[in-house]
Amino acid sequence: MTSSRRTRWNFALQRAVEHGNALRLPLLVLEPLRAGYRWACDRFHRFVIEGMADNQARLKRKGVGYYPYVEPGDGAGKGLLEALSARAAVVVTDDYPAFFLPRMLRSAAPRLPVRLEAVDSNGLLPMRAAGRTFATAYAFRRFLQRELAGHLAEAPSPDPLAALSLRAPVAIPPAILEQWPSAELRDPAALIAGLPIDHTVGPVALQGGSGAGATRLSSFVDSRLASYATDRNRPDADATSGLSPYLHFGHVSAHEVFAGIAAGEGWTRGDLAEDAKGRRAGWWGMTESSEAFLDQLVTWRELGFNRCLHVEGYDRYEALPAWARKTLAEHASDPREAIYGLDDFEFARTHDPLWNAAQNQLRREGGIHNYLRMLWGKKILEWSESARTALQTMIGLNDKYALDGRDPNSYTGILWVLGLHDRAWGPERPVFGKIRYMSSANTARKYRVRGYVERYSGG
């Protein structure tokens, strides 16, 4: 388990169960957590370890072997997968297109003496169902509406472990356990305290794990989904799902979220519209709020996975569309209202109280209200010495603090600030050129923000 860190709604785990049944061999689940990846910190480690404790408890109840490994130092886990696979018939893992995970998989594959399968359990549409990228969400949405219906019938099992025929303990050789001790998960704080990770980015109140994710999903569907279409952009309303950290760390599956929405609607595949015109509303045959939410969960989220799979350097400035780079270059020397350095941005030392509040929320809670996250990025562009610097600042701050950072959806969202998956807008403005413009003043006119600013004022 490297990205789909869950025991339910998981194609990779389902595939491992199929192998176990066919070979009449026991299943061992290895869930490792590296110490040396960039941005490793107490915040992310705590969230992942809480998920590992969930998995450990459920796998124990199911009679399945579980091996949680928390790396005590950078590189300490090297050789563990190879040592385990020497006693295995097949290794199944997760297929994920971003951050360090593709490099890790490419490095591990040639060293294993057995078959290695990487299984895509990221979204409703398999990533490789589309052999190309899409310039806009509209174009991708049209593709989804033509292709997705058949894949909806092939959802992963809600409980893949129920099909496992052989439930036997796995005897891990003592020499392996001596070199790579199994982690003690009962006290995450004690486990994390001695690790060589960033202890300045502390844990947040949000609890990790599939159990907490399922509870949040249920609460959203029961209490907030009905007002999502009208209230999701209001900073003073608690109308968003809060599921993105659970989706990012694989504690909750997009299929599980979709199933919860569909069950609440009494929906069947027969409700899908027959045309594929790329409309944001009407294709699913659900209520306005459910359709609006699914456009975020499916269209925008999976557009990010599509792009990270097919675009090398998906997070680089050169990956922006040509029109965006051209207009930004034409306005590169425009005077700025202010220019701030990374420290000023990181510690919310700008002249704009609303922007400062958004950055403080990111540092304190690991996320920013959905609408204000767009404003946060637009102002970084406006107040940076260059668009390239702005991109580095946005990715750096988001990856360091956001629970849902380091994710395909994060990178596409950040580059959207600079014109990705968007179009040229008028009138042409200083600094922005034809890039879509946003301002704190306009946001304050559209939405109530005073309470938000008061809540997140200060350091």
Side-chain angles (χ1 to χ4, degrees):
M1 285 185 173
T2 56
S3 60
S4 295
R5 295 174 176 268
R6 57 182 181 268
T7 60
R8 306 178 74 248
W9 302 89
N10 187 337
F11 275 127
L13 182 58
Q14 185 170 310
R15 179 62 172 159
V17 167
E18 291 170 358
H19 277 304
N21 290 344
L23 297 169
R24 297 295 301 161
L25 289 172
L27 172 65
L28 175 65
V29 175
L30 167 67
E31 185 173 7
L33 178 57
R34 285 184 59 190
Y37 69 90
R38 193 179 184 195
W39 310 120
C41 63
D42 290 12
R43 178 169 298 178
F44 307 147
H45 262 57
R46 177 67 176 259
F47 201 84
V48 172
I49 289 169
E50 288 169 345
M52 294 171 77
D54 268 14
N55 291 334
Q56 183 179 55
R58 190 160 192 272
L59 289 165
K60 182 178 180 179
R61 291 196 301 270
K62 291 285 188 175
V64 176
Y66 179 65
Y67 188 173
Y69 177 71
V70 176
E71 194 176 43
D74 185 12
K78 186 176 181 180
L80 171 56
L81 181 61
E82 189 174 355
L84 285 173
S85 66
R87 303 173 61 89
V90 62
V91 176
V92 180
T93 191
D94 302 318
D95 185 11
Y96 186 81
F99 204 38
F100 67 85
L101 294 173
R103 295 193 305 273
M104 184 176 70
L105 187 60
R106 288 194 299 267
S107 174
R111 299 202 305 267
L112 303 189
V114 296
R115 179 182 179 87
L116 171 66
E117 295 182 352
V119 180
D120 174 6
S121 197
N122 295 296
L124 302 189
L125 183 77
M127 291 188 295
R128 287 167 179 79
R132 61 186 177 91
T133 58
F134 299 83
T136 64
Y138 168 75
F140 184 60
R141 193 182 294 112
R142 288 193 66 185
F143 178 84
L144 277 171
Q145 292 174 358
R146 291 195 301 268
E147 301 293 330
L148 186 56
H151 294 287
L152 293 176
E154 301 175 355
S157 168
D159 185 8
L161 295 171
L164 185 63
S165 59
L166 180 60
R167 300 176 188 275
V170 177
I172 301 172
I176 291 180
L177 289 172
E178 182 178 356
Q179 184 169 353
W180 298 284
S182 179
E184 174 53 64
L185 304 176
R186 285 181 294 183
D187 188 349
L191 177 57
I192 292 169
L195 299 179
I197 59 177
D198 185 356
H199 298 294
T200 67
V201 182
V204 297
L206 191 68
Q207 183 176 356
S210 294
T215 299
R216 182 162 287 262
L217 171 60
S218 178
S219 173
F220 172 64
V221 172
D222 293 344
S223 304
R224 300 190 302 283
L225 176 59
S227 62
Y228 181 83
T230 56
D231 292 350
R232 60 177 172 161
N233 287 338
R234 291 175 48 197
D236 62 324
D238 183 21
T240 58
S241 71
L243 289 170
S244 59
Y246 299 99
L247 288 164
H248 169 68
F249 285 108
H251 294 163
V252 168
S253 163
H255 283 94
E256 180 179 5
V257 178
F258 176 75
I261 303 294
E265 291 271 351
W267 179 89
T268 67
R269 289 195 302 277
D271 294 325
L272 292 173
E274 293 184 0
D275 59 43
K277 296 181 179 179
R279 295 176 300 178
R280 282 183 293 180
W283 184 74
W284 291 99
M286 298 190 189
T287 60
E288 180 185 9
S289 281
S290 290
E291 297 233 355
F293 178 75
L294 289 176
D295 197 47
Q296 298 298 315
L297 175 74
V298 184
T299 303
W300 283 99
R301 180 174 180 270
E302 299 194 19
L303 178 61
F305 279 84
N306 166 270
R307 185 170 178 277
C308 286
L309 178 68
H310 291 292
V311 176
E312 187 176 358
Y314 53 79
D315 58 348
R316 296 175 188 165
Y317 188 82
E318 290 72 20
L320 287 170
W323 73 264
R325 286 182 279 118
K326 181 176 183 294
T327 194
L328 289 168
E330 290 170 347
H331 291 269
S333 60
D334 288 356
R336 268 70 170 162
E337 176 188 22
I339 294 180
Y340 295 108
L342 179 59
D343 283 353
D344 292 324
F345 282 124
E346 181 168 6
F347 297 103
R349 296 194 293 255
T350 80
H351 65 279
D352 186 329
L354 181 56
W355 191 93
N356 291 342
Q359 175 62 19
N360 284 331
Q361 185 185 18
L362 176 63
R363 289 173 56 232
R364 293 178 196 172
E365 298 180 357
I368 303 174
H369 182 275
N370 289 14
Y371 186 83
L372 295 180
R373 192 187 304 214
M374 297 185 289
L375 175 68
W376 173 86
K378 293 291 185 180
K379 304 311 283 186
I380 291 176
L381 169 59
E382 186 175 354
W383 300 330
S384 294
E385 62 182 13
S386 71
R388 288 179 181 273
T389 301
L391 176 60
Q392 295 169 0
T393 298
M394 285 186 280
I395 290 178
L397 293 178
N398 195 67
D399 281 2
K400 180 175 181 177
Y401 289 108
L403 280 169
D404 62 358
R406 307 150 311 282
D407 187 270
N409 204 31
S410 295
Y411 296 122
T412 50
I414 287 171
L415 270 81
W416 173 88
V417 169
L418 303 175
L420 179 68
H421 299 316
D422 207 355
R423 60 174 176 84
W425 287 76
E428 198 161 347
R429 296 175 180 271
V431 182
F432 286 84
K434 297 177 183 178
I435 300 295
R436 185 195 299 250
Y437 176 77
M438 293 179 69
S439 74
S440 297
N442 287 341
T443 300
R445 280 191 287 268
K446 291 171 65 175
Y447 303 110
R448 297 175 182 174
V449 299
R450 180 179 298 177
Y452 179 88
V453 171
E454 291 175 352
R455 180 178 179 183
Y456 295 108
S457 64

